[in-house]
């Protein structure tokens, strides 16, 4: 159901060990649009687990899912990426099947070429959709807040997509980036942001 990379498993186990025994991770997944997920991850005492919850053994700790989340968790991979703001969990869901043939071509290109390239720098992108030849994406991992994200968008992502999918006119990033020099808030910290 859920796969954790060794580094993600280790970080989550260390986090829960600091909190104390008999503590689970509650993973909440909601989706209102195919392929787009809202993910929540919190710790809670084992006593809060309900009868209808699904318990996933992660070798040293448990992840608890409600019924709606369990449906979306099938094939989920959790990884830990490091980037400019520290470590960040990456929730990688199986690629959606797009009814739009252009979106389907773009998704396959993201899966086969773009994300493998971005992962070498701790980043990834997620396709939100294609409207009138405009590809809408979200950047994640090390791409969030990276000062080179706009250059990556134009020089790598957009050029690659337009070269392989001629129906595409442009790529638009809808990510709310965090840039240290424009935002006085400190970067994320805590057990996963070390």
């Amino acid at each position: 159901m859920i796969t954790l990379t060794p580094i993600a498993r280790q970080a989550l186990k260390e986090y829960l060990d600091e909190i104390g025994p008999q503590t689970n991770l509650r993973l909440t997944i909601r989706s209102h649009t195919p392929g787009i997920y809202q993910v929540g991850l919190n710790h809670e005492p084992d006593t809060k687990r309900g009868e209808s919850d699904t318990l996933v053994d992660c070798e040293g700790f448990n992840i608890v899912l409600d019924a709606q989340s369990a449906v979306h968790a099938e094939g989920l991979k959790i990884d830990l990426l490091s980037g400019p703001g520290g470590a960040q969990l990456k929730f990688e869901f199986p690629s959606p099947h797009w009814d739009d043939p252009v979106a389907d071509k773009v998704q396959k290109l993201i899966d086969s070429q773009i994300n493998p390239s971005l992962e070498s720098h701790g980043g990834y992108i997620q396709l939100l959709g294609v409207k009138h030849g405009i590809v809408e994406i979200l950047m994640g991992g090390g791409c969030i807040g990276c000062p080179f994200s706009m250059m990556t968008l134009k020089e790598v992502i957009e050029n690659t997509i337009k070269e392989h999918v001629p129906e595409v006119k442009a790529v638009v990033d809808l990510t709310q980036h965090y840039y240290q020099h424009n935002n006085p808030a400190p970067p994320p910290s805590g057990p996963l942001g070390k």
Side-chain angles (χ1 to χ4, degrees), residues 50-170:
E51 287 183 21
S52 63
D53 287 336
T54 299
L55 188 68
V56 179
D57 181 359
C58 297
E59 301 174 27
F61 65 93
N62 295 316
I63 293 178
V64 178
L65 302 150
D66 61 35
Q68 187 177 358
S69 299
V71 170
H72 297 303
E74 194 62 43
L76 172 64
K77 177 183 171 188
I78 303 174
D79 197 1
L80 185 70
L81 304 176
S82 58
Q88 180 179 19
L89 287 172
K90 175 185 177 187
F91 297 91
E92 186 176 321
F93 293 88
S95 294
H97 171 74
W98 295 91
D99 292 331
D100 174 17
V102 175
D104 200 49
K105 286 185 211 175
V106 171
Q107 183 67 60
K108 288 176 182 169
L109 190 61
I110 288 170
D111 293 341
S112 67
Q113 290 185 32
I114 296 170
N115 275 343
S117 174
L118 295 176
E119 284 175 359
S120 67
H121 299 278
Y124 62 93
I125 63 169
Q126 180 180 11
L127 177 63
L128 298 177
V130 180
K131 297 175 187 169
H132 310 292
I134 308 298
V135 174
E136 295 178 340
I137 64 161
L138 286 176
M139 292 180 140
C143 292
I144 296 177
C146 174
F148 299 107
S149 62
M150 291 311 294
M151 184 176 74
T152 300
L153 175 66
K154 293 296 176 190
E155 300 296 324
V156 177
I157 299 167
E158 186 172 75
N159 285 346
T160 301
I161 292 174
K162 287 167 75 175
E163 177 184 332
H164 290 86
V165 186
E167 300 92 335
V168 171
K169 299 172 191 165

